[in-house]
Amino acid sequence: MVVDLSELALKAGLADYSPVRGCMVIKPYGYAIWELIQKELDARIKECGHENAYFPLFIPESFLKKEADHIEGFAPECAVVTHAGGQKLEEPLVIRPTSETIIYHMFSKWIHSWRDLPFSVNQWANVVRWEMRTRLFLRTTEFLWQEGHTAHATHEEADGEALRMQKVYYDFMTKILALAPIVGQKSDSERFAGAEKTYSLEVLLRDGKILQAGTSHCLGQGFAKAFEIQFQTPNNELEFVHLTSWGVSTRLIGAIVLGHLDEKGLILPPAVAPIQAIIIPIYKTEEEKNKVLEECQKIASELKLAGIRHKIDSNDQTSPGAKFNEWELKGVPIRVQIGPRDVQNNQVELVRRDKCEKLKNIPRLGLPEKIQSLLTEMQDYLYERQLAWREENTYSADSIDELEQILETKGGFIKAHWNGKADTENKIKELTKATIRVKAFDEPEEKGKCLISGEESLQRVYIGRAY
Amino acid sequence: MVVDLSELALKAGLADYSPVRGCMVIKPYGYAIWELIQKELDARIKECGHENAYFPLFIPESFLKKEADHIEGFAPECAVVTHAGGQKLEEPLVIRPTSETIIYHMFSKWIHSWRDLPFSVNQWANVVRWEMRTRLFLRTTEFLWQEGHTAHATHEEADGEALRMQKVYYDFMTKILALAPIVGQKSDSERFAGAEKTYSLEVLLRDGKILQAGTSHCLGQGFAKAFEIQFQTPNNELEFVHLTSWGVSTRLIGAIVLGHLDEKGLILPPAVAPIQAIIIPIYKTEEEKNKVLEECQKIASELKLAGIRHKIDSNDQTSPGAKFNEWELKGVPIRVQIGPRDVQNNQVELVRRDKCEKLKNIPRLGLPEKIQSLLTEMQDYLYERQLAWREENTYSADSIDELEQILETKGGFIKAHWNGKADTENKIKELTKATIRVKAFDEPEEKGKCLISGEESLQRVYIGRAY
């Protein structure tokens, strides 16, 4: 299925292009999805004991340069403020592309003793990366995200925290976004700039491409040494802390759209659907209109009481058929249709967005419960469908030709042997435009030979073409 | 009372200085207050039918220049990105000091017909104004805020909307922040740059100074003409829309702190207190400790069930006395003290932060209900106290000498006659360092003579020294 996410996002009213290169406007319908994502994920982050804080948008250029790998990775993407208040600044300020450097500067002021550890903060903020090629939601110059940062006394503890947060993301993505990511570790060349290990979650989209939907990094002591974050141990020795950082962004909205869509448009998982049930009145005469709209209001009150997000589409400039199309495009999970005969017979017609299946003669009595149970079913079904999609589109390749052929004809995840080295990784990318997405945690051991070098390999990795 | 807000904010753990000039770090305790403000205010904004969206951080320099007053007002405060992605930009980008220009550019794309009106969006975002003198929370280079924008078919409707949102702020500030602002209209020279009328809410703080805590602007058609936002009327004519914008910011945290504090530190209104009840165990022996902590856990579970935000301070490095001081400094509304004898007698001791009054022998049974009712009482009491403070510190002056004398000896609001002109307004400022804060809506008519010119005036205005 060939999909133009940008066109779809525009049509469904999720976003619009802005007059600033690569920046989008997130429209109310798209932003409402982000608010639901924030609410659900924020609660999970807080349950881990991480509190929210806010750090400056600006980072002194010298800070970015303190960790060598970090500046190398981010320098080409930085937007720089050189003038402010009508004057040239003494030191240029970089708009944060990520906040490790400024947050760890503060950590060095706040952390003194082993009693202060573990130490953590999370931040919901905008960040800016000057990307060459942008795409609504998937890669925008400015995007919104959450970035968590923790400091620990031992490497083991930090690594455990990075893995824990990856699990939190996994739990959130499967249960709330109904996505079925592959979880594992990135190759060295795909690591975050300044990290020791990057754990990631990779989602197979309906167009056969792969999306990195979230990452969690064990940063080791590199940043701690660069920013002199030391703590006194119980034995009165000074040691550097071990850091982690982890984040997900508005890119998740792209993952939802491309992970679940069909030829009619979006299919939103009920847990993040701003409107879970759209009520559409159907009538011809003025008398019918009054009757039907009155009943719609009653249904709306009942849905409100039941905590179901809903809306009546009472626009009388549009035909019911056009409304069906519009709300299908927007991915609303349940459509409630009601006409004069339905009012008379105390019933409605329901249509589930995922299966596009009509449920006729649904009794009015108990309607909120019926809708609630359909929403729950649909949430589960979408996850199962995404999981099945991933499984059906995961292949194995034992030669570079086979890899290329699958990529060209089918897309998806391709599992293959690789010797773990950067040169062969680059060669795969060069030959196929696909990248090594992740070394999956649950991949069984299996002896094989590297696609490129023929060297021995003990485990297959996931390869695919990524956004 | 002389108060150093910055010192207090640092000590109480609300914020910290950052390495970037004029930017602060909002620490978890301060940010949790902001989250409660956001939650309460966002619900009220949504009840008005305004939906959230997100617009770019960057504004092309040419956009800012389209409305002449607007650029004149904001140009001196702009931070400018001149380089990005390793290259010099063709057109510099300004970091939004406020988003009228970019939002109204989008409005011109989205609004076509009278059927599209009224049209509105709200945005929670960071903005940057390069201020010369900054102060934690009250005036920072970067701050967080909400800015709402609406478009209407008629001037009357727009003006009504600006007034409605001012009322929403008033309701929010009185009920949730327990503040008692004076509401009214700003003088022409204190209007928002590009507005026709600015309505404001002015709070008298405990140090006798005034804080502009929120504003709502009727923008008329100036921006609509600059950005060509036209709509087709039912008669097929093209007309320009009438716009409003309104916002409050993290400055509100400063208003809360300075509006309620006492010599011991912060007093947080329960509705925005991140911790409403702090539980402090008191013990000497290990056996006592176990017993008391067990009881603290039971209390915490009960408070959780009752929806009361709470925390146990079980730090055994600090004495109970030091804990009392710390949580008083942080403004936690209710302190729950419990020792071995209390456990035995099924009771606790409570201390209300506002009155610093000890309530002994409070029965354990029904403790959450007792605390809840104290929180409600305290919320009301703080509002009454703030209102009384304002009333007690509102004076009248009939000469410039009298005005100056009150300002020097007492501070507060001073009501005086003024002829409504800019030159006399400037003269007042020059002579007294005080400004005309607001023409209050509920100020009765009264004939008098302008302090400076002696010309006739029909109503007193509120004057004070402001942050």
XYZ file of all heavy atoms in Angstrom, chain A residues 24-78:
453
model
N 5.738 22.269 11.254
C 4.314 22.076 10.968
C 3.477 22.787 12.016
O 3.943 23.125 13.094
C 3.973 20.585 10.960
C 4.095 19.904 12.305
S 3.565 18.153 12.204
C 4.262 17.555 13.762
N 2.217 22.996 11.660
C 1.229 23.417 12.642
C 0.456 22.166 13.039
O -0.056 21.460 12.161
C 0.252 24.447 12.041
C -0.883 24.738 13.003
C 0.998 25.736 11.675
N 0.403 21.881 14.316
C -0.415 20.747 14.760
C -1.814 21.283 15.028
O -2.008 22.106 15.925
C 0.165 20.076 16.013
C 1.650 19.735 15.793
C -0.621 18.812 16.355
C 2.310 19.060 16.991
N -2.774 20.851 14.218
C -4.137 21.367 14.343
C -4.861 20.679 15.511
O -4.388 19.660 16.040
C -4.885 21.153 13.017
C -4.286 22.004 11.881
C -5.021 21.801 10.572
C -6.338 22.552 10.555
N -6.975 22.446 9.208
N -5.985 21.256 15.937
C -6.643 20.718 17.133
C -6.871 19.206 17.121
O -6.642 18.543 18.139
C -7.962 21.493 17.176
C -7.596 22.830 16.613
C -6.621 22.519 15.495
N -7.265 18.642 15.986
C -7.538 17.202 15.977
C -6.258 16.397 16.218
O -6.265 15.402 16.951
C -8.190 16.799 14.648
C -8.793 15.417 14.648
C -9.748 15.055 15.594
C -8.407 14.461 13.705
C -10.305 13.782 15.600
C -8.961 13.190 13.695
C -9.908 12.858 14.648
O -10.446 11.596 14.650
N -5.160 16.838 15.638
C -3.876 16.177 15.865
C -3.358 16.421 17.272
O -2.831 15.527 17.936
N -3.552 17.662 17.751
C -3.033 17.991 19.078
C -3.798 17.245 20.175
O -3.224 16.881 21.199
C -3.087 19.509 19.315
C -2.181 19.916 20.452
C -0.818 20.089 20.235
C -2.676 20.082 21.741
C 0.035 20.421 21.268
C -1.833 20.416 22.790
C -0.483 20.591 22.551
O 0.352 20.910 23.585
N -5.089 16.999 19.906
C -5.885 16.256 20.898
C -5.338 14.833 21.048
O -5.362 14.265 22.150
C -7.350 16.235 20.486
N -4.841 14.261 19.958
C -4.199 12.935 20.054
C -2.946 13.044 20.921
O -2.696 12.225 21.797
C -3.841 12.378 18.651
C -5.115 12.196 17.811
C -3.064 11.068 18.762
C -4.846 11.745 16.372
N -2.168 14.098 20.696
C -0.950 14.308 21.485
C -1.286 14.478 22.968
O -0.599 13.950 23.840
C -0.178 15.526 20.954
C 1.117 15.808 21.666
C 1.460 16.957 22.325
C 2.250 14.929 21.784
N 2.728 16.860 22.837
C 3.238 15.615 22.534
C 2.515 13.630 21.340
C 4.469 15.049 22.840
C 3.752 13.066 21.656
C 4.705 13.778 22.390
N -2.355 15.178 23.270
C -2.747 15.364 24.675
C -3.098 14.031 25.333
O -2.758 13.796 26.493
C -3.931 16.331 24.781
C -3.540 17.770 24.492
C -4.693 18.754 24.643
O -5.754 18.538 24.009
O -4.547 19.740 25.375
N -3.758 13.149 24.572
C -4.093 11.832 25.128
C -2.825 10.996 25.320
O -2.670 10.286 26.316
C -5.092 11.121 24.211
C -6.496 11.755 24.230
C -7.323 11.301 23.027
C -7.222 11.416 25.530
N -1.900 11.100 24.374
C -0.610 10.419 24.513
C 0.100 10.918 25.769
O 0.590 10.144 26.592
C 0.273 10.667 23.258
C -0.272 9.887 22.060
C 1.737 10.305 23.526
C 0.449 10.173 20.741
N 0.145 12.243 25.919
C 0.828 12.836 27.072
C 0.227 12.362 28.388
O 0.931 12.003 29.314
C 0.704 14.360 27.014
C 1.616 15.010 26.006
C 1.615 16.526 26.152
O 0.574 17.160 26.005
N 2.764 17.091 26.453
N -1.103 12.383 28.435
C -1.782 12.034 29.674
C -1.440 10.601 30.087
O -1.089 10.330 31.241
C -3.289 12.194 29.458
C -4.090 12.173 30.724
C -5.567 12.343 30.425
C -6.377 11.762 31.573
N -7.775 11.532 31.212
N -1.538 9.685 29.132
C -1.292 8.280 29.433
C 0.172 8.027 29.775
O 0.487 7.321 30.731
C -1.665 7.416 28.220
C -3.152 7.285 27.990
C -3.800 6.331 29.000
O -3.070 5.638 29.719
O -5.041 6.300 29.045
N 1.071 8.601 28.988
C 2.486 8.325 29.188
C 3.007 9.042 30.434
O 3.799 8.491 31.202
C 3.289 8.731 27.945
C 4.773 8.394 27.992
C 4.998 6.903 28.212
C 5.458 8.828 26.694
N 2.532 10.268 30.644
C 2.975 11.027 31.806
C 2.643 10.285 33.102
O 3.464 10.230 34.022
C 2.310 12.412 31.794
C 2.926 13.355 32.806
O 4.122 13.665 32.654
O 2.234 13.755 33.759
N 1.460 9.685 33.152
C 1.065 8.936 34.354
C 2.022 7.762 34.575
O 2.442 7.485 35.702
C -0.368 8.444 34.214
N 2.383 7.090 33.483
C 3.303 5.947 33.608
C 4.698 6.393 34.039
O 5.369 5.712 34.811
C 3.389 5.215 32.261
C 2.156 4.373 31.972
C 2.166 3.859 30.530
N 1.290 2.726 30.349
C -0.036 2.792 30.232
N -0.637 3.956 30.284
N -0.765 1.698 30.065
N 5.158 7.522 33.513
C 6.484 8.027 33.886
C 6.495 8.414 35.361
O 7.435 8.118 36.099
C 6.875 9.232 32.985
C 7.136 8.744 31.547
C 8.105 9.956 33.537
C 7.322 9.861 30.525
N 5.410 9.073 35.797
C 5.343 9.472 37.209
C 5.264 8.261 38.126
O 5.806 8.280 39.230
C 4.155 10.406 37.425
C 4.450 11.826 36.935
C 3.296 12.771 37.146
C 3.712 14.185 36.714
N 2.592 14.980 36.206
N 4.594 7.200 37.663
C 4.529 5.989 38.484
C 5.913 5.396 38.723
O 6.136 4.712 39.720
C 3.639 4.942 37.810
C 2.340 4.734 38.562
C 1.375 3.865 37.783
O 1.782 2.782 37.317
O 0.218 4.303 37.618
N 6.837 5.655 37.803
C 8.226 5.203 37.993
C 8.965 6.101 38.984
O 10.143 5.865 39.278
C 8.978 5.232 36.663
S 8.380 4.052 35.458
N 8.319 7.165 39.444
C 8.964 8.052 40.408
C 9.654 9.253 39.773
O 10.328 10.015 40.462
N 9.508 9.425 38.455
C 10.160 10.551 37.789
C 9.246 11.771 37.799
O 8.092 11.673 37.414
C 10.515 10.180 36.344
C 11.328 8.932 36.249
N 12.442 8.730 37.034
C 11.186 7.805 35.507
C 12.956 7.534 36.749
N 12.212 6.956 35.838
N 9.783 12.909 38.213
C 8.994 14.124 38.277
C 9.309 15.030 37.089
O 10.416 15.012 36.562
C 9.300 14.875 39.580
C 8.849 14.108 40.813
C 9.207 14.841 42.096
O 10.399 15.140 42.302
O 8.288 15.122 42.879
N 8.342 15.854 36.712
C 8.553 16.777 35.599
C 9.229 18.069 36.053
O 9.018 18.534 37.170
C 7.225 17.121 34.934
C 6.661 15.939 34.160
O 7.406 15.050 33.740
N 5.352 15.923 33.972
N 10.008 18.633 35.157
C 10.670 19.913 35.401
C 10.789 20.607 34.051
O 10.352 20.065 33.034
C 12.048 19.680 36.019
N 11.352 21.809 34.056
C 11.525 22.503 32.778
C 12.867 23.217 32.733
O 13.211 23.985 33.630
C 10.387 23.508 32.534
C 10.460 24.076 31.141
C 10.004 23.327 30.058
C 11.022 25.319 30.900
C 10.107 23.806 28.767
C 11.124 25.805 29.599
C 10.666 25.052 28.543
O 10.770 25.526 27.260
N 13.609 22.970 31.647
C 14.940 23.538 31.465
C 14.925 24.486 30.270
O 14.063 24.374 29.403
C 15.955 22.409 31.252
C 16.090 21.523 32.463
C 15.189 20.494 32.704
C 17.083 21.759 33.398
C 15.291 19.697 33.842
C 17.202 20.968 34.535
C 16.301 19.935 34.765
N 15.906 25.404 30.208
C 15.867 26.415 29.148
C 15.920 25.854 27.718
O 16.564 24.841 27.461
C 17.109 27.268 29.432
C 17.363 27.099 30.877
C 16.988 25.674 31.175
N 15.245 26.565 26.846
C 15.261 26.295 25.401
C 16.655 26.481 24.822
O 17.040 25.820 23.858
C 14.300 27.294 24.737
C 14.238 27.381 23.230
C 13.605 26.117 22.651
C 13.420 28.601 22.796
N 17.408 27.416 25.414
C 18.722 27.783 24.870
C 19.854 27.014 25.547
O 19.853 26.862 26.764
C 18.989 29.272 25.082
C 17.994 30.162 24.409
C 17.233 31.056 25.151
C 17.816 30.106 23.033
C 16.308 31.886 24.529
C 16.892 30.938 22.408
C 16.133 31.836 23.159
N 20.809 26.606 24.749
C 21.997 25.940 25.285
C 23.229 26.697 24.796
O 23.390 26.892 23.590
C 22.057 24.472 24.818
C 20.818 23.713 25.333
C 23.339 23.802 25.284
C 20.756 22.263 24.913
N 24.089 27.140 25.723
C 25.319 27.818 25.276
C 26.109 26.874 24.355
O 26.216 25.689 24.645
C 26.080 28.070 26.586
C 25.035 28.025 27.661
C 24.000 27.050 27.189
N 26.620 27.415 23.273
C 27.303 26.587 22.281
C 28.438 25.765 22.920
O 28.663 24.616 22.569
C 27.865 27.480 21.168
C 27.917 26.800 19.830
C 28.347 27.762 18.726
O 29.260 28.575 18.962
O 27.763 27.702 17.634
N 29.104 26.362 23.892
C 30.233 25.671 24.533
C 29.786 24.408 25.272
O 30.551 23.455 25.398
C 30.929 26.618 25.516
O 29.991 27.092 26.467
N 28.551 24.393 25.759
C 28.051 23.207 26.467
C 27.963 22.011 25.522
O 28.328 20.898 25.868
C 26.650 23.472 27.026
C 26.644 24.183 28.336
C 27.445 25.286 28.565
C 25.818 23.752 29.357
C 27.426 25.944 29.778
C 25.790 24.401 30.572
C 26.589 25.497 30.775
N 27.432 22.261 24.328
C 27.246 21.180 23.369
C 28.573 20.541 23.009
O 28.648 19.369 22.669
C 26.593 21.712 22.092
C 25.077 21.688 21.998
C 24.650 22.061 20.595
C 24.497 20.323 22.352
N 29.628 21.355 23.080
C 30.939 20.864 22.647
C 31.666 20.045 23.709
O 32.717 19.472 23.439
C 31.815 22.061 22.228
C 31.297 22.728 20.966
C 32.167 23.912 20.564
C 31.642 24.524 19.255
N 32.180 25.869 19.033
N 31.095 20.009 24.911
C 31.833 19.334 25.986
C 31.919 17.822 25.812
O 32.832 17.188 26.322
C 31.184 19.656 27.339
C 31.497 21.071 27.806
C 31.119 21.261 29.265
C 31.409 22.703 29.677
N 31.085 22.935 31.093
N 30.905 17.221 25.172
C 30.957 15.778 24.952
C 31.194 15.589 23.458
O 30.348 15.955 22.628
C 29.652 15.135 25.424
C 29.774 13.708 25.954
C 30.039 12.690 24.858
O 29.637 12.940 23.700
O 30.647 11.652 25.154
N 32.344 15.011 23.110
C 32.808 15.026 21.726
C 31.847 14.350 20.743
O 31.526 14.898 19.685
C 34.187 14.366 21.647
N 31.364 13.147 21.086
C 30.454 12.440 20.181
C 29.148 13.219 20.006
O 28.559 13.245 18.933
C 30.108 11.057 20.745
C 31.302 10.118 20.697
O 32.222 10.396 19.912
O 31.296 9.126 21.444
N 28.725 13.827 21.109
C 27.444 14.528 21.106
C 27.451 15.679 20.110
O 26.554 15.798 19.278
C 27.162 15.022 22.526
C 25.751 15.469 22.756
N 24.685 14.612 22.658
C 25.229 16.675 23.088
C 23.569 15.273 22.926
N 23.868 16.529 23.183
N 28.470 16.519 20.184
C 28.528 17.669 19.270
C 28.689 17.202 17.823
O 28.085 17.770 16.916
C 29.623 18.692 19.679
C 29.588 19.915 18.750
C 31.008 18.083 19.686
C 28.379 20.766 18.882
N 29.449 16.128 17.639
C 29.632 15.623 16.285
C 28.296 15.203 15.693
O 27.993 15.453 14.536
C 30.609 14.444 16.310
C 31.201 14.138 14.943
C 31.959 12.821 14.943
O 32.707 12.558 15.906
O 31.772 12.056 13.977
N 27.470 14.565 16.521
C 26.174 14.099 16.046
C 25.187 15.226 15.801
O 24.411 15.191 14.846
N 25.209 16.241 16.659
C 24.156 17.256 16.575
C 24.544 18.551 15.871
O 23.672 19.304 15.441
C 23.579 17.534 17.971
C 22.654 16.442 18.426
C 23.048 15.504 19.370
C 21.386 16.343 17.882
C 22.193 14.484 19.758
C 20.516 15.332 18.259
C 20.925 14.392 19.210
N 25.831 18.838 15.764
C 26.258 20.113 15.171
C 25.597 20.414 13.821
O 25.121 21.530 13.602
C 27.778 20.154 15.043
N 25.511 19.423 12.927
C 24.947 19.761 11.607
C 23.471 20.126 11.645
O 22.949 20.670 10.682
C 25.136 18.452 10.801
C 26.073 17.612 11.594
C 25.941 18.030 13.011
N 22.794 19.832 12.743
C 21.344 20.031 12.802
C 20.938 21.219 13.667
O 19.761 21.436 13.912
C 20.680 18.782 13.380
C 20.862 17.539 12.530
C 20.174 16.332 13.151
O 19.584 16.479 14.241
O 20.231 15.258 12.542
N 21.910 21.979 14.159
C 21.581 23.007 15.143
C 21.068 24.310 14.517
O 21.577 24.771 13.501
C 22.801 23.327 15.993
S 23.142 22.034 17.185
